[in-house]
Amino acid sequence: MCPDIDDIDLKILQQIEADFDVSLETVANKLDLSKSAVHYRIQKLKDEEIINSVTADVDPFALGLEVVSLTDVSVTHREGYSENIGEEIMTIDGVEQVYYTMGDVDFVAVSRVQTRSQLNDLIEEVVAIDGVNETSSKFVLEEFHGARNISANLTQSGRDAILDP
Amino acid sequence: MCPDIDDIDLKILQQIEADFDVSLETVANKLDLSKSAVHYRIQKLKDEEIINSVTADVDPFALGLEVVSLTDVSVTHREGYSENIGEEIMTIDGVEQVYYTMGDVDFVAVSRVQTRSQLNDLIEEVVAIDGVNETSSKFVLEEFHGARNISANLTQSGRDAILDP
DNA sequence: AATGAAATCGACCAGCA
DNA sequence: TGCTGGTCGATTTCATT
C-alpha cells in the first residue's frame, strides 16, 4: 500500500507529529530504542518523503486572526479551468485552504482573517476572479482541531492497511 | 493588538513556519542577525505561545489517505449541547477538522481516510451521535493547501495591524 | 538496521548596550 | 529588553558490524 512502514515507524511518526521539540533521547526512551536508531529511522522517513517537513506551528489567535469563514464558490463550467480557479482562490491573502468538490458547489474555501472588513475584502477578491459565478459564506463560531495529526488519526482498518504486507 | 511582535519576529515566523529543519545560522544569515539573536527571539515566541509547537508534517498520501470529504452535519438544537457534539465528531478516527458555523448547517467536518468504505463507516459514526439530525457529504476531488502558513498568509492590513503600536 | 566515535550545531549563561 | 560571544551538551554524520 505504501513505502514499507512498520509499527515502530508509526509510533515515531505519532510522537514527532505531535511534538518534535523534544530530544531524540525522549523519543528513544519511550520506544525502548537507541538514539541513533531513532535518528536513522527519522532520516529514512524524510528521505522517503513520508515526513514532508518540520515546521513551527503559529497560533492564529496570537496574531489576532479570529474571524474564520467557510465560503462556497460556484463557477461557470469551462473545460480544464477549474483547477486554475482553485489556485487563484488559494493565492488570495487570508485564504487558508481550498477544496474542489463534486456537487452543486464547486469550491469550498476556508479563510482566516482579523476583522469582518478584511473578510469582505477577501470575498470581493474571490468574486472578481474570472469564471467565479456565485459565493456564499458562513462564519465559523468555533473550530475543533484537537491536537490530532495524520498518523494519530487513522482508523483501525487504515492502520492495518499500512502495517500489513 | 497582540504581544509585541516586530517585523524581524514576523520574518522569523515566516521562515520557520515554512521550514524549521534548517540551522539557526541559515535563518540568521537570511536576516543579517547573529545565531544567538535568532535563538533568543524564537525562545521568546515560544514563551509567549505565539509558536505553539514544532511538529513533523506527514504526507497523508504517503499513508494512502486519498479520500477526502466534507460533511455537513445538522443537529437538533438543545441548549449548550452543540459544543459537545463538535467534540464528539472530532474524536472519530479519520475526522481531521470540525467547524461549528452559523447558518442552516451546524457543523462542517473534514475527513481523510483511505477508502470509500472507511468513509461510510465514519459517516455512520457521525450519524450515531446523539443529537445529530442529518448529514450530507461531498467528495473532495482536489485540495489546494499550498505551502501557505499563518504568518505568510496575512492580508496587508492584517500585517499592518500586527506591526503597528 | 543499528551502533559508537568524531564533527557539528543548538541551548544556555554571564555580561554588555 | 535585546543582543553578543563562549561553553557545554545534544545532534548529526560516518565508518563499522
Short mmCIF file of all heavy atoms in Angstrom, two decimals, chain B residues 14-70:
data_model
loop_
_atom_site.label_atom_id
_atom_site.label_comp_id
_atom_site.label_asym_id
_atom_site.label_seq_id
_atom_site.Cartn_x
_atom_site.Cartn_y
_atom_site.Cartn_z
N GLN B 14 7.84 33.54 9.48
CA GLN B 14 7.59 33.08 8.10
C GLN B 14 8.62 32.04 7.68
O GLN B 14 8.29 31.08 6.98
CB GLN B 14 7.59 34.28 7.15
CG GLN B 14 6.32 35.10 7.26
CD GLN B 14 6.36 36.37 6.43
OE1 GLN B 14 6.98 36.42 5.39
NE2 GLN B 14 5.68 37.39 6.91
N GLN B 15 9.85 32.26 8.09
CA GLN B 15 10.90 31.29 7.77
C GLN B 15 10.62 29.93 8.39
O GLN B 15 10.55 28.91 7.70
CB GLN B 15 12.26 31.79 8.31
CG GLN B 15 12.88 32.89 7.50
CD GLN B 15 13.60 32.33 6.30
OE1 GLN B 15 14.14 31.24 6.35
NE2 GLN B 15 13.60 33.08 5.21
N ILE B 16 10.48 29.92 9.70
CA ILE B 16 10.43 28.63 10.41
C ILE B 16 9.06 28.00 10.35
O ILE B 16 8.93 26.80 10.59
CB ILE B 16 10.89 28.78 11.88
CG1 ILE B 16 9.90 29.64 12.68
CG2 ILE B 16 12.29 29.36 11.94
CD1 ILE B 16 10.29 29.77 14.13
N GLU B 17 8.04 28.77 9.99
CA GLU B 17 6.73 28.17 9.79
C GLU B 17 6.71 27.42 8.46
O GLU B 17 5.95 26.47 8.28
CB GLU B 17 5.64 29.25 9.83
CG GLU B 17 4.32 28.71 10.31
CD GLU B 17 3.20 29.72 10.19
OE1 GLU B 17 3.46 30.90 9.96
OE2 GLU B 17 2.03 29.28 10.30
N ALA B 18 7.54 27.86 7.53
CA ALA B 18 7.65 27.15 6.26
C ALA B 18 8.60 25.97 6.38
O ALA B 18 8.39 24.92 5.78
CB ALA B 18 8.14 28.10 5.17
N ASP B 19 9.67 26.12 7.15
CA ASP B 19 10.67 25.07 7.28
C ASP B 19 11.56 25.32 8.48
O ASP B 19 12.36 26.25 8.49
CB ASP B 19 11.51 25.00 6.00
CG ASP B 19 12.50 23.86 6.04
OD1 ASP B 19 12.42 23.01 6.95
OD2 ASP B 19 13.38 23.80 5.15
N PHE B 20 11.41 24.46 9.50
CA PHE B 20 12.21 24.62 10.71
C PHE B 20 13.32 23.58 10.72
O PHE B 20 14.00 23.41 11.73
CB PHE B 20 11.32 24.47 11.94
CG PHE B 20 11.86 25.16 13.15
CD1 PHE B 20 11.12 25.21 14.31
CD2 PHE B 20 13.10 25.80 13.15
CE1 PHE B 20 11.60 25.84 15.46
CE2 PHE B 20 13.59 26.44 14.27
CZ PHE B 20 12.83 26.46 15.42
N ASP B 21 13.54 22.93 9.61
CA ASP B 21 14.56 21.90 9.54
C ASP B 21 15.86 22.49 8.98
O ASP B 21 16.60 21.83 8.28
CB ASP B 21 14.09 20.75 8.67
CG ASP B 21 14.65 19.42 9.16
OD1 ASP B 21 15.38 19.43 10.16
OD2 ASP B 21 14.35 18.40 8.53
N VAL B 22 16.09 23.75 9.30
CA VAL B 22 17.30 24.43 8.86
C VAL B 22 18.07 24.87 10.09
O VAL B 22 17.51 24.96 11.18
CB VAL B 22 16.95 25.66 8.01
CG1 VAL B 22 16.33 25.23 6.70
CG2 VAL B 22 16.03 26.59 8.76
N SER B 23 19.34 25.12 9.92
CA SER B 23 20.14 25.55 11.07
C SER B 23 19.81 26.99 11.43
O SER B 23 19.36 27.77 10.60
CB SER B 23 21.63 25.42 10.76
OG SER B 23 22.01 26.40 9.84
N LEU B 24 20.02 27.31 12.70
CA LEU B 24 19.82 28.69 13.15
C LEU B 24 20.66 29.65 12.33
O LEU B 24 20.26 30.78 12.07
CB LEU B 24 20.23 28.82 14.62
CG LEU B 24 19.28 28.32 15.68
CD1 LEU B 24 19.79 28.73 17.05
CD2 LEU B 24 17.90 28.89 15.45
N GLU B 25 21.83 29.17 11.92
CA GLU B 25 22.75 30.00 11.15
C GLU B 25 22.11 30.42 9.83
O GLU B 25 22.25 31.56 9.40
CB GLU B 25 24.04 29.22 10.90
CG GLU B 25 25.25 30.10 10.75
CD GLU B 25 26.55 29.34 10.99
OE1 GLU B 25 26.48 28.09 11.16
OE2 GLU B 25 27.60 29.97 10.98
N THR B 26 21.42 29.48 9.18
CA THR B 26 20.77 29.78 7.91
C THR B 26 19.75 30.90 8.08
O THR B 26 19.73 31.86 7.32
CB THR B 26 20.05 28.53 7.37
OG1 THR B 26 20.98 27.45 7.36
CG2 THR B 26 19.53 28.75 5.97
N VAL B 27 18.90 30.75 9.11
CA VAL B 27 17.92 31.79 9.38
C VAL B 27 18.62 33.10 9.70
O VAL B 27 18.25 34.17 9.19
CB VAL B 27 17.00 31.39 10.56
CG1 VAL B 27 15.99 32.48 10.86
CG2 VAL B 27 16.29 30.07 10.27
N ALA B 28 19.65 33.03 10.54
CA ALA B 28 20.37 34.23 10.96
C ALA B 28 20.97 34.95 9.75
O ALA B 28 20.88 36.17 9.63
CB ALA B 28 21.46 33.85 11.95
N ASN B 29 21.57 34.20 8.84
CA ASN B 29 22.18 34.80 7.67
C ASN B 29 21.16 35.52 6.80
O ASN B 29 21.42 36.62 6.31
CB ASN B 29 22.91 33.74 6.84
CG ASN B 29 24.19 33.29 7.50
OD1 ASN B 29 24.73 33.99 8.39
ND2 ASN B 29 24.68 32.12 7.12
N LYS B 30 20.00 34.88 6.63
CA LYS B 30 18.98 35.49 5.79
C LYS B 30 18.47 36.81 6.36
O LYS B 30 17.96 37.65 5.64
CB LYS B 30 17.79 34.53 5.61
CG LYS B 30 18.09 33.39 4.65
CD LYS B 30 16.82 32.70 4.19
CE LYS B 30 17.18 31.48 3.33
NZ LYS B 30 16.01 30.67 2.98
N LEU B 31 18.58 36.96 7.67
CA LEU B 31 18.04 38.16 8.31
C LEU B 31 19.14 39.09 8.81
O LEU B 31 18.86 40.08 9.48
CB LEU B 31 17.14 37.77 9.49
CG LEU B 31 15.93 36.90 9.16
CD1 LEU B 31 15.18 36.53 10.41
CD2 LEU B 31 15.01 37.62 8.19
N ASP B 32 20.39 38.76 8.49
CA ASP B 32 21.52 39.56 8.98
C ASP B 32 21.49 39.74 10.48
O ASP B 32 21.55 40.85 11.00
CB ASP B 32 21.54 40.93 8.28
CG ASP B 32 22.15 40.83 6.89
OD1 ASP B 32 23.18 40.16 6.74
OD2 ASP B 32 21.56 41.40 5.96
N LEU B 33 21.37 38.60 11.15
CA LEU B 33 21.38 38.62 12.62
C LEU B 33 22.36 37.56 13.10
O LEU B 33 22.80 36.71 12.33
CB LEU B 33 19.99 38.29 13.16
CG LEU B 33 19.00 39.41 13.42
CD1 LEU B 33 17.67 38.83 13.86
CD2 LEU B 33 19.52 40.37 14.47
N SER B 34 22.68 37.59 14.37
CA SER B 34 23.53 36.54 14.93
C SER B 34 22.68 35.33 15.28
O SER B 34 21.47 35.44 15.47
CB SER B 34 24.25 37.05 16.17
OG SER B 34 23.34 37.15 17.24
N LYS B 35 23.32 34.17 15.36
CA LYS B 35 22.62 32.95 15.77
C LYS B 35 21.93 33.15 17.11
O LYS B 35 20.78 32.76 17.30
CB LYS B 35 23.61 31.78 15.91
CG LYS B 35 24.11 31.22 14.61
CD LYS B 35 24.78 29.86 14.83
CE LYS B 35 26.03 29.94 15.69
NZ LYS B 35 26.69 28.62 15.83
N SER B 36 22.65 33.75 18.05
CA SER B 36 22.09 33.94 19.40
C SER B 36 20.83 34.79 19.37
O SER B 36 19.87 34.49 20.09
CB SER B 36 23.12 34.61 20.30
OG SER B 36 24.33 33.91 20.28
N ALA B 37 20.85 35.81 18.54
CA ALA B 37 19.69 36.70 18.48
C ALA B 37 18.47 35.95 17.96
O ALA B 37 17.36 36.10 18.50
CB ALA B 37 19.99 37.90 17.59
N VAL B 38 18.68 35.14 16.92
CA VAL B 38 17.57 34.35 16.38
C VAL B 38 17.06 33.38 17.43
O VAL B 38 15.86 33.26 17.66
CB VAL B 38 18.00 33.59 15.11
CG1 VAL B 38 16.91 32.65 14.64
CG2 VAL B 38 18.37 34.56 14.00
N HIS B 39 18.00 32.72 18.11
CA HIS B 39 17.62 31.78 19.15
C HIS B 39 16.81 32.49 20.25
O HIS B 39 15.78 32.01 20.70
CB HIS B 39 18.86 31.13 19.75
CG HIS B 39 18.57 30.19 20.87
ND1 HIS B 39 18.08 28.93 20.67
CD2 HIS B 39 18.67 30.34 22.20
CE1 HIS B 39 17.91 28.34 21.83
NE2 HIS B 39 18.26 29.17 22.78
N TYR B 40 17.30 33.64 20.65
CA TYR B 40 16.64 34.42 21.70
C TYR B 40 15.21 34.76 21.31
O TYR B 40 14.27 34.60 22.09
CB TYR B 40 17.46 35.69 21.95
CG TYR B 40 16.79 36.72 22.81
CD1 TYR B 40 16.80 36.62 24.19
CD2 TYR B 40 16.14 37.81 22.23
CE1 TYR B 40 16.18 37.55 24.98
CE2 TYR B 40 15.52 38.77 23.01
CZ TYR B 40 15.54 38.63 24.38
OH TYR B 40 14.93 39.57 25.17
N ARG B 41 15.04 35.20 20.06
CA ARG B 41 13.70 35.61 19.61
C ARG B 41 12.77 34.40 19.48
O ARG B 41 11.59 34.48 19.81
CB ARG B 41 13.80 36.34 18.27
CG ARG B 41 14.17 37.81 18.42
CD ARG B 41 14.46 38.45 17.09
NE ARG B 41 14.78 39.86 17.21
CZ ARG B 41 13.89 40.84 17.12
NH1 ARG B 41 12.62 40.56 16.93
NH2 ARG B 41 14.26 42.10 17.23
N ILE B 42 13.32 33.30 19.00
CA ILE B 42 12.47 32.10 18.87
C ILE B 42 12.00 31.63 20.24
O ILE B 42 10.84 31.28 20.45
CB ILE B 42 13.21 30.98 18.11
CG1 ILE B 42 13.35 31.36 16.63
CG2 ILE B 42 12.45 29.65 18.22
CD1 ILE B 42 14.13 30.36 15.79
N GLN B 43 12.92 31.67 21.22
CA GLN B 43 12.54 31.29 22.59
C GLN B 43 11.42 32.18 23.09
O GLN B 43 10.45 31.72 23.70
CB GLN B 43 13.74 31.41 23.53
CG GLN B 43 14.64 30.20 23.54
CD GLN B 43 13.91 28.87 23.57
OE1 GLN B 43 13.93 28.15 22.60
NE2 GLN B 43 13.25 28.54 24.68
N LYS B 44 11.55 33.46 22.83
CA LYS B 44 10.55 34.42 23.28
C LYS B 44 9.19 34.11 22.63
O LYS B 44 8.16 34.14 23.29
CB LYS B 44 11.00 35.85 22.95
CG LYS B 44 10.30 36.92 23.76
CD LYS B 44 11.13 38.18 23.88
CE LYS B 44 10.78 39.23 22.85
NZ LYS B 44 9.46 39.85 23.02
N LEU B 45 9.23 33.81 21.34
CA LEU B 45 7.98 33.50 20.63
C LEU B 45 7.35 32.23 21.19
O LEU B 45 6.12 32.10 21.24
CB LEU B 45 8.26 33.35 19.13
CG LEU B 45 8.61 34.66 18.39
CD1 LEU B 45 9.22 34.37 17.02
CD2 LEU B 45 7.38 35.54 18.25
N LYS B 46 8.18 31.30 21.63
CA LYS B 46 7.63 30.09 22.25
C LYS B 46 7.06 30.41 23.64
O LYS B 46 5.98 29.95 23.99
CB LYS B 46 8.72 29.02 22.39
CG LYS B 46 9.07 28.31 21.09
CD LYS B 46 10.16 27.28 21.31
CE LYS B 46 10.61 26.64 20.00
NZ LYS B 46 11.79 25.76 20.18
N ASP B 47 7.80 31.20 24.41
CA ASP B 47 7.33 31.58 25.74
C ASP B 47 6.00 32.30 25.67
O ASP B 47 5.09 32.08 26.48
CB ASP B 47 8.36 32.48 26.44
CG ASP B 47 9.60 31.71 26.84
OD1 ASP B 47 9.54 30.46 26.85
OD2 ASP B 47 10.62 32.35 27.14
N GLU B 48 5.86 33.17 24.69
CA GLU B 48 4.62 33.95 24.54
C GLU B 48 3.53 33.14 23.88
O GLU B 48 2.45 33.64 23.61
CB GLU B 48 4.91 35.21 23.70
CG GLU B 48 5.72 36.26 24.43
CD GLU B 48 6.23 37.34 23.49
OE1 GLU B 48 6.36 37.06 22.27
OE2 GLU B 48 6.51 38.45 23.96
N GLU B 49 3.86 31.90 23.56
CA GLU B 49 2.90 30.98 22.91
C GLU B 49 2.37 31.51 21.58
O GLU B 49 1.23 31.24 21.21
CB GLU B 49 1.76 30.63 23.87
CG GLU B 49 2.27 29.80 25.03
CD GLU B 49 1.18 29.34 25.98
OE1 GLU B 49 0.23 30.10 26.19
OE2 GLU B 49 1.29 28.20 26.49
N ILE B 50 3.21 32.26 20.91
CA ILE B 50 2.91 32.63 19.52
C ILE B 50 3.28 31.44 18.64
O ILE B 50 2.56 31.09 17.72
CB ILE B 50 3.67 33.91 19.13
CG1 ILE B 50 3.09 35.08 19.92
CG2 ILE B 50 3.59 34.15 17.63
CD1 ILE B 50 3.95 36.30 19.95
N ILE B 51 4.41 30.79 18.98
CA ILE B 51 4.70 29.47 18.42
C ILE B 51 4.13 28.44 19.38
O ILE B 51 4.54 28.35 20.53
CB ILE B 51 6.21 29.25 18.24
CG1 ILE B 51 6.77 30.23 17.22
CG2 ILE B 51 6.49 27.81 17.81
CD1 ILE B 51 8.28 30.20 17.10
N ASN B 52 3.16 27.69 18.90
CA ASN B 52 2.51 26.67 19.73
C ASN B 52 3.37 25.44 19.91
O ASN B 52 3.43 24.86 20.98
CB ASN B 52 1.21 26.22 19.06
CG ASN B 52 0.04 27.10 19.41
OD1 ASN B 52 -0.04 27.61 20.52
ND2 ASN B 52 -0.85 27.28 18.46
N SER B 53 3.97 25.02 18.82
CA SER B 53 4.71 23.78 18.85
C SER B 53 5.58 23.68 17.60
O SER B 53 5.44 24.47 16.67
CB SER B 53 3.74 22.60 18.88
OG SER B 53 2.86 22.67 17.77
N VAL B 54 6.46 22.72 17.61
CA VAL B 54 7.23 22.39 16.41
C VAL B 54 6.90 20.94 16.09
O VAL B 54 7.00 20.08 16.96
CB VAL B 54 8.75 22.56 16.64
CG1 VAL B 54 9.53 22.13 15.42
CG2 VAL B 54 9.07 23.99 17.03
N THR B 55 6.46 20.71 14.87
CA THR B 55 5.95 19.37 14.55
C THR B 55 6.46 18.89 13.20
O THR B 55 6.78 19.69 12.32
CB THR B 55 4.42 19.36 14.50
OG1 THR B 55 3.98 20.33 13.55
CG2 THR B 55 3.82 19.67 15.85
N ALA B 56 6.52 17.57 13.05
CA ALA B 56 6.80 16.96 11.76
C ALA B 56 5.50 16.90 10.97
O ALA B 56 4.46 16.56 11.52
CB ALA B 56 7.36 15.56 11.96
N ASP B 57 5.56 17.26 9.71
CA ASP B 57 4.37 17.24 8.86
C ASP B 57 4.40 16.00 7.99
O ASP B 57 5.29 15.82 7.17
CB ASP B 57 4.33 18.50 7.99
CG ASP B 57 4.38 19.76 8.83
OD1 ASP B 57 3.78 19.75 9.92
OD2 ASP B 57 5.05 20.73 8.42
N VAL B 58 3.41 15.15 8.17
CA VAL B 58 3.35 13.87 7.47
C VAL B 58 2.50 14.00 6.21
O VAL B 58 1.43 14.63 6.23
CB VAL B 58 2.78 12.78 8.40
CG1 VAL B 58 2.54 11.49 7.65
CG2 VAL B 58 3.73 12.55 9.57
N ASP B 59 2.98 13.42 5.12
CA ASP B 59 2.24 13.44 3.87
C ASP B 59 1.11 12.43 3.93
O ASP B 59 1.36 11.22 4.00
CB ASP B 59 3.19 13.09 2.72
CG ASP B 59 2.48 13.08 1.38
OD1 ASP B 59 1.31 13.51 1.33
OD2 ASP B 59 3.09 12.64 0.39
N PRO B 60 -0.15 12.87 3.91
CA PRO B 60 -1.26 11.92 4.01
C PRO B 60 -1.28 10.90 2.88
O PRO B 60 -1.64 9.75 3.09
CB PRO B 60 -2.50 12.81 3.98
CG PRO B 60 -2.05 14.14 3.48
CD PRO B 60 -0.61 14.26 3.82
N PHE B 61 -0.87 11.31 1.69
CA PHE B 61 -0.87 10.38 0.55
C PHE B 61 0.14 9.26 0.75
O PHE B 61 -0.07 8.14 0.28
CB PHE B 61 -0.60 11.13 -0.76
CG PHE B 61 -1.78 11.91 -1.23
CD1 PHE B 61 -2.03 13.19 -0.76
CD2 PHE B 61 -2.68 11.36 -2.13
CE1 PHE B 61 -3.14 13.91 -1.18
CE2 PHE B 61 -3.79 12.08 -2.56
CZ PHE B 61 -4.02 13.35 -2.08
N ALA B 62 1.22 9.55 1.45
CA ALA B 62 2.21 8.51 1.72
C ALA B 62 1.62 7.42 2.60
O ALA B 62 2.10 6.29 2.59
CB ALA B 62 3.44 9.11 2.39
N LEU B 63 0.60 7.73 3.36
CA LEU B 63 -0.07 6.74 4.18
C LEU B 63 -1.35 6.24 3.52
O LEU B 63 -2.18 5.57 4.14
CB LEU B 63 -0.38 7.31 5.57
CG LEU B 63 0.82 7.77 6.41
CD1 LEU B 63 0.36 8.20 7.80
CD2 LEU B 63 1.86 6.68 6.52
N GLY B 64 -1.52 6.60 2.25
CA GLY B 64 -2.67 6.09 1.50
C GLY B 64 -3.97 6.83 1.77
O GLY B 64 -5.04 6.38 1.35
N LEU B 65 -3.87 7.97 2.46
CA LEU B 65 -5.09 8.71 2.82
C LEU B 65 -5.50 9.61 1.65
O LEU B 65 -5.20 10.79 1.62
CB LEU B 65 -4.85 9.52 4.09
CG LEU B 65 -4.57 8.66 5.32
CD1 LEU B 65 -3.88 9.47 6.40
CD2 LEU B 65 -5.85 8.07 5.85
N GLU B 66 -6.20 9.02 0.70
CA GLU B 66 -6.50 9.72 -0.55
C GLU B 66 -7.96 10.16 -0.65
O GLU B 66 -8.32 10.89 -1.56
CB GLU B 66 -6.15 8.83 -1.74
CG GLU B 66 -4.70 8.38 -1.70
CD GLU B 66 -4.21 7.87 -3.03
OE1 GLU B 66 -5.01 7.80 -3.97
OE2 GLU B 66 -3.01 7.54 -3.12
N VAL B 67 -8.80 9.68 0.25
CA VAL B 67 -10.23 10.02 0.20
C VAL B 67 -10.51 11.15 1.19
O VAL B 67 -10.45 10.95 2.40
CB VAL B 67 -11.11 8.80 0.52
CG1 VAL B 67 -12.58 9.19 0.49
CG2 VAL B 67 -10.83 7.67 -0.45
N VAL B 68 -10.76 12.33 0.65
CA VAL B 68 -11.07 13.49 1.49
C VAL B 68 -12.51 13.87 1.25
O VAL B 68 -13.01 13.81 0.12
CB VAL B 68 -10.14 14.67 1.16
CG1 VAL B 68 -10.46 15.88 2.03
CG2 VAL B 68 -8.69 14.27 1.31
N SER B 69 -13.18 14.24 2.32
CA SER B 69 -14.61 14.51 2.21
C SER B 69 -15.03 15.63 3.14
O SER B 69 -14.48 15.80 4.23
CB SER B 69 -15.37 13.22 2.53
OG SER B 69 -16.69 13.50 2.89
N LEU B 70 -16.00 16.42 2.69
CA LEU B 70 -16.61 17.45 3.53
C LEU B 70 -18.01 16.98 3.91
O LEU B 70 -18.80 16.63 3.02
CB LEU B 70 -16.71 18.78 2.78
CG LEU B 70 -15.40 19.35 2.23
CD1 LEU B 70 -15.68 20.67 1.48
CD2 LEU B 70 -14.41 19.60 3.36
#
